[in-house]
Amino acid sequence: NALLWSMRSGDTSLVSAIATKLLEQYMLTRELPVASLLDNLGAEMLVAPELTFLAKYREFHCLYAQADFWNAFSLLVNLLTSNLAPKQFWPLLLTDCLPMVEYDGGSLANHDREESIVPSTRQCHELMHCLEEFEVKTSTRVWNLNCNDELKATTKDTVRLLRL
């Protein structure tokens, strides 16, 4: 596939562009077509920040699927606060946090440690800060979201939902 060939060629800008396209595709379809490649990248993920994010986001999905909710939640918070996640992806990451933040005492127990997810005050403040920052900077156009109109509309709807 194109991502693999661009990595082999060492063309960092091409890797970044392809990873960005894959992220945009994911935002529309909620499918990562290169999941097996991302699972086996190792240190190669460091070729481009967009690829690093994509691989880490795939790691989140794996942790979540394994019911390792605490580590999945912590990874999402770290992706947001480290600014590794592309800005247009922030609402999706915040939405991914919701099931873990809205823990009801029974459905999200970490089966390995039999503990519930209780986000720290710091983590909750960081998530709220990210939401506020996203809203302010996109409404004042400090951040220009380079995505198509469909993604922009989806992003606006997601931010409204997160506000609730």
Side-chain angles (χ1 to χ4, degrees):
N1 85 32
L3 180 60
L4 184 59
W5 283 106
S6 66
M7 288 170 53
R8 287 182 181 164
S9 75
D11 187 343
T12 305
S13 61
L14 184 58
V15 171
S16 293
I18 293 170
T20 298
K21 283 292 182 195
L22 291 170
L23 287 170
E24 289 173 359
Q25 180 182 349
Y26 177 80
M27 288 178 72
L28 293 172
T29 65
R30 299 298 192 256
E31 293 179 18
L32 281 172
V34 293
S36 60
L37 173 63
L38 295 171
D39 290 340
N40 298 300
L41 278 179
E44 289 179 310
M45 80 168 93
L46 302 173
V47 169
E50 296 84 357
L51 183 59
T52 303
F53 170 73
L54 196 58
K56 288 301 202 178
Y57 189 62
R58 169 65 183 159
E59 182 181 340
F60 155 75
H61 279 285
C62 291
L63 290 168
Y64 195 90
Q66 296 166 3
D68 189 352
F69 301 116
W70 177 253
N71 286 322
F73 178 76
S74 294
L75 179 57
L76 283 181
V77 172
N78 288 337
L79 286 172
L80 284 161
T81 58
S82 70
N83 288 317
L84 186 60
K87 304 305 183 213
Q88 70 263 27
F89 216 68
W90 280 25
L92 184 61
L93 294 179
L94 290 164
T95 303
D96 286 341
C97 288
L98 285 179
M100 294 175 279
V101 173
E102 293 178 338
Y103 176 69
D104 66 5
S107 62
L108 285 179
N110 186 324
H111 303 293
D112 295 336
R113 294 183 294 204
E114 296 186 12
E115 298 173 359
S116 64
I117 276 247
V118 180
S120 71
T121 303
R122 181 187 62 79
Q123 288 172 319
C124 289
H125 283 285
E126 287 173 345
L127 292 175
M128 289 306 298
H129 174 74
C130 288
L131 179 58
E132 291 289 330
E133 184 177 359
F134 184 85
E135 282 187 305
V136 167
K137 292 191 176 176
T138 54
S139 67
T140 59
R141 303 204 193 291
V142 171
W143 288 344
N144 181 21
L145 299 182
N146 295 322
C147 53
N148 65 37
D149 290 338
E150 185 178 357
L151 283 178
K152 285 181 184 176
T154 300
T155 299
K156 287 179 183 178
D157 291 342
T158 302
V159 168
R160 276 189 229 115
L161 177 68
L162 287 167
R163 266 284 153 219
L164 298 175

